[in-house]
Amino acid sequence: MNIVIFGAPGAGKGTQSALLVEKLNMFHISTGDLFRNAIKNKTDLGMKAKAYMDRGDLVPDEITVGMVEEVFDRMGDREFILDGFPRNAAQALALEKMLAEHGKDVGRAVFLKVPRELLMARLTGRRVCRNCGAVYHIDSKPPKHMGVCDECGKKDLYQRDDDKEAVIANRLEAYDKSTAPLVDYYRRAGKYVEVDGVGETGEVFQRLRLTVQG
Ligand code: AMP
């Protein structure tokens, strides 16, 4: 089944999607990761997206949708999990059109529900490996050796610029204004499911797994 996973910044979309991909062998499309890779590789796309991301704004739809379209063209027949896309109603409509063209559809839209007061602590404490993208948290999931990635062994953990407090407020605002209305959109489409995103990563994953497989 094809899945859209959405929720506020810090809800755990990336972590949970990575687990789903690993356990269920799905194709992972994370628009945030695609943009970060493009920035790292200094591509045109990266240059266009960077200023928006640095401010915590959404990257314009024409850039984002175009990027996702390219991925769809080379995805083949695997089931996919879309993580961080769509993030507003226009993107949701563009996605429907794109999927129809490829003879696919969204099976479930999973909303990861996490109370606002937890999001800030999750975001400010998050550290990411610049090399392989593995995600840590200074309190709840520290690496075994400070600054060193458990997965790839590189000493290249960093705090995303947009995980700094000043930018987080703007990201949450963009979420409230643009992404939260997707709850109604997917409810009306009969695809909406809610998963409690509070708790240990493994605990949340068990709930998520039941929802998408059950
Ligand atoms: P994320 O890693 O999902 O938190 O995304 C990081 C940033 O990438 C967001 O704050 C946006 O600036 C940008 N971004 C990711 N996905 C989208 C999207 N679907 N539409 C617009 N901007 C996006």
Side-chain angles (χ1 to χ4, degrees), residues 3-212:
I3 293 165
V4 160
I5 187 161
F6 72 115
K13 301 183 291 293
T15 304
Q16 295 299 329
S17 302
L19 285 170
L20 271 184
V21 167
E22 187 190 318
K23 307 276 189 222
L24 306 184
N25 188 31
M26 296 172 83
F27 188 86
H28 187 195
I29 307 165
S30 157
T31 41
D33 284 350
L34 289 169
F35 283 134
R36 278 184 289 279
N37 274 334
I39 290 172
K40 190 169 137 191
N41 296 325
K42 300 194 166 63
T43 65
D44 281 354
L45 174 75
M47 296 303 108
K48 282 186 199 149
K50 188 172 186 318
Y52 297 98
M53 290 176 75
D54 285 350
R55 286 195 300 268
D57 289 338
L58 294 187
V59 178
D61 290 341
E62 61 272 22
I63 300 176
T64 310
V65 171
M67 176 177 79
V68 174
E69 256 163 357
E70 275 180 26
V71 179
F72 267 91
D73 287 341
R74 56 185 162 80
M75 181 169 60
D77 283 336
R78 281 170 73 188
E79 289 184 319
F80 64 79
I81 175 154
L82 263 175
D83 155 16
F85 182 92
R87 249 177 163 96
N88 61 28
Q91 292 181 8
L93 290 172
L95 173 63
E96 258 178 48
K97 192 162 162 261
M98 230 186 288
L99 288 174
E101 280 161 14
H102 287 81
K104 298 176 191 252
D105 69 353
V106 170
R108 301 241 160 96
V110 180
F111 177 68
L112 266 186
K113 192 172 185 179
V114 174
R116 186 57 54 108
E117 58 273 20
L118 280 185
L119 297 174
M120 191 57 105
R122 282 194 181 184
L123 290 166
T124 53
R126 175 159 65 183
R127 299 293 180 270
V128 183
C129 174
R130 212 183 291 274
N131 182 51
C132 75
V135 179
Y136 299 87
H137 189 279
I138 51 172
D139 300 319
S140 61
K141 197 192 168 204
K144 290 194 188 85
H145 305 283
M146 207 171 67
V148 180
C149 179
D150 295 346
E151 302 290 328
C152 72
K154 285 256 165 26
K155 193 173 185 337
D156 208 1
L157 300 191
Y158 78 112
Q159 181 178 37
R160 279 168 45 174
D161 282 341
D162 62 348
D163 278 346
K164 300 193 171 139
E165 258 181 83
V167 183
I168 290 173
N170 202 28
R171 288 170 67 201
L172 289 171
E173 207 179 304
Y175 164 77
D176 286 338
K177 189 167 140 249
S178 304
T179 312
L182 290 181
V183 168
D184 277 344
Y185 178 90
Y186 282 116
R187 254 201 195 117
R188 281 198 301 273
K191 303 197 162 161
Y192 179 79
V193 279
E194 205 169 275
V195 170
D196 178 2
V198 179
E200 295 286 316
T201 301
E203 230 177 272
V204 176
F205 183 64
Q206 288 317 317
R207 292 197 281 266
L208 175 64
R209 194 172 186 165
L210 283 176
T211 309
V212 299

